[in-house]
């Protein structure tokens, strides 16, 4: 990705490497990956990506017992997430802030951020339910329209068959009314019409 100049993908890969290093308790390597990723994301101007990476980086800082640095990064992440309307990241930032404040025994602030986290999660859940309901409504209306189209098509086919039968019977009646059944020649009625 570096060879291709795909900075956004490089940043995404660095996040993955940072997570792997973090899980392996290789905090210095993880920090290097996250710092480099943040630098690249800022170059690209991907604010949502910056918020996501900042959340990961703050988790690392908190694990390294650097709560003040973690709070600074989390406040920045929260601000960015609110700016771009990234509600999932807003919820995650509040949860991480609650965790950091709890570790600092600042329970009132931890409680406040936990409440904010739950409020945002509830809103996200409500929005998701509304979207699911809307999708089901659209699906139902589409199915109803398809059924109505099929009924209309079947009625059209039936009407076409009935019209063809009426046309055949009409020609048969015309023939019976105007031709002699034995000879097939026009009868007197037809001759008078002519």
């Amino acid at each position: 990705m570096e060879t291709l100049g795909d900075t956004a993908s490089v940043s995404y890969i660095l996040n993955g490497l940072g997570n792997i290093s973090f899980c392996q308790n290789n905090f210095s390597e993880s920090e290097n990956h996250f710092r480099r990723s943040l630098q690249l994301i800022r170059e690209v101007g991907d604010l949502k990506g910056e918020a996501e990476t900042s959340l990961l980086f703050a988790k690392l800082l908190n694990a390294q017992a650097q709560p003040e640095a973690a709070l600074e990064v989390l406040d920045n992440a929260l601000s960015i997430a609110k700016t771009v309307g990234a509600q999932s990241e807003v919820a995650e930032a509040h949860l991480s802030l609650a965790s950091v404040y709890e570790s600092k025994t600042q329970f009132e602030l931890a409680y406040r951020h936990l409440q904010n986290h739950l409020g945002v999660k509830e809103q996200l859940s409500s929005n998701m339910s509304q979207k699911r309901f809307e999708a089901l409504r659209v699906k139902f209306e589409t199915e109803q329209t398809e059924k109505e189209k099929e009924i209309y098509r079947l009625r059209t086919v039936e009407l076409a068959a009935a019209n063809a039968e009426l046309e055949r019977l009409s020609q048969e009646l015309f023939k019976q009314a105007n031709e002699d059944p034995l000879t097939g020649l026009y009868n007197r009625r037809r001759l008078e019409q002519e």
Side-chain angles (χ1 to χ4, degrees):
M1 292 297 121
E2 286 175 341
T3 303
L4 294 173
D6 188 349
T7 307
S9 294
V10 171
S11 168
Y12 179 76
I13 292 167
L14 286 169
N15 278 347
L17 291 170
N19 269 330
I20 292 169
S21 299
F22 178 76
C23 291
Q24 294 172 339
N25 292 328
N26 189 346
F27 294 150
S28 63
E29 187 175 319
S30 179
E31 184 174 344
N32 289 337
H33 290 310
F34 286 139
R35 285 189 186 281
R36 186 156 174 244
S37 177
L38 276 171
Q39 178 187 3
L40 292 175
I41 285 176
R42 287 177 182 141
E43 287 176 15
V44 173
D46 178 8
L47 292 176
K48 186 174 187 293
E50 184 177 348
E52 292 170 355
T53 303
S54 294
L55 289 170
L56 295 170
F57 185 41
K59 186 177 175 183
L60 169 70
L61 292 171
N62 197 36
Q64 291 178 309
Q66 298 179 38
E68 296 305 323
L71 286 175
E72 184 180 330
V73 171
L74 285 170
D75 284 336
N76 184 48
L78 180 60
S79 174
I80 292 170
K82 284 181 177 179
T83 301
V84 297
Q87 292 298 89
S88 294
E89 285 72 20
V90 169
E92 185 65 30
H94 280 300
L95 185 61
S96 295
L97 283 163
S99 176
V100 173
Y101 280 121
E102 182 183 13
S103 70
K104 292 180 64 173
T105 65
Q106 293 180 338
F107 298 115
E108 186 177 325
L109 288 171
Y111 178 72
R112 190 177 314 139
H113 282 290
L114 193 56
Q115 281 183 317
N116 289 336
H117 165 75
L118 292 173
V120 173
K121 284 300 243 186
E122 186 178 308
Q123 184 181 10
L124 282 171
S125 178
S126 175
N127 290 346
M128 190 65 78
S129 295
Q130 183 64 29
K131 286 179 183 176
R132 276 193 222 117
F133 173 76
E134 190 62 28
L136 287 173
R137 185 185 64 75
V138 168
K139 182 180 177 187
F140 173 76
E141 288 177 357
T142 303
E143 288 173 357
Q144 288 300 107
T145 303
E146 290 298 319
K147 285 178 184 176
E148 289 172 6
K149 278 175 48 180
E150 184 62 18
I151 289 169
Y152 180 76
R153 188 189 68 77
L154 291 173
R155 284 184 183 162
T156 303
V157 169
E158 289 173 3
L159 286 173
N163 280 341
E165 182 64 16
L166 284 173
E167 183 64 31
R168 188 190 65 75
L169 289 174
S170 176
Q171 289 174 357
E172 183 67 30
L173 285 173
F174 181 80
K175 185 177 179 181
Q176 287 178 6
N178 292 302
E179 293 181 6
D180 180 62
L182 184 61
T183 61
L185 297 173
Y186 288 141
N187 61 17
R188 181 178 177 159
R189 179 182 301 129
R190 179 60 188 259
L191 288 173
E192 286 176 355
Q193 286 175 358
E194 291 295 323

